[in-house]
Amino acid sequence: QQYICAQSGTELPMLPVHGKAELQLFQKLALEQTQFDAEVMALEWCEHVDGATIFPKLPVYLRTHHEAWKKNQQVKDAVERKKADVAALETINA
């Protein structure tokens, strides 16, 4: 990380979203936005940077992570919608 900081001229490294704290922060910020905007999120993200578990993010890293997050949200939503159907099948097959 020190090498990355030295080469980029920053105090903290700019890395993709990773770690539990950053994933939770991404979820929180993404759900607060009505329309995803990586530039706005990057500025809001800076307010939460602590240099230990949350590091600054470039908008490109947030856009990339947003695509994967959106797919995961769609899967979670589909599973939630089908819970009643699964419960009915389990009752029938029991």
Side-chain angles (χ1 to χ4, degrees):
Q1 289 182 354
Q2 290 175 343
Y3 176 78
I4 294 171
C5 292
Q7 295 303 309
S8 62
T10 60
E11 291 183 29
L12 296 170
M14 302 268 189
L15 300 170
V17 178
H18 70 286
K20 186 176 181 177
E22 288 191 347
L23 294 171
Q24 289 173 342
L25 177 58
F26 185 92
Q27 171 97 2
K28 177 183 175 286
L29 295 177
L31 292 174
E32 289 175 357
Q33 289 187 343
T34 54
Q35 174 103 9
F36 179 75
D37 185 335
E39 286 76 19
V40 170
M41 184 184 275
L43 293 173
E44 291 175 8
W45 190 282
C46 289
E47 297 172 11
H48 301 275
V49 171
D50 62 12
T53 58
I54 299 177
F55 295 91
K57 300 292 172 231
L58 294 172
V60 66
Y61 293 140
L62 297 174
R63 275 191 296 276
T64 302
H65 185 71
H66 182 257
E67 291 302 314
W69 177 83
K70 190 167 55 173
K71 288 179 186 176
N72 287 337
Q73 288 300 111
Q74 291 170 345
V75 170
K76 287 179 184 178
D77 292 343
V79 169
E80 188 63 34
R81 285 191 309 270
K82 294 300 178 185
K83 273 188 179 181
D85 296 338
V86 171
L89 285 173
E90 288 175 350
T91 302
I92 292 169
N93 292 327

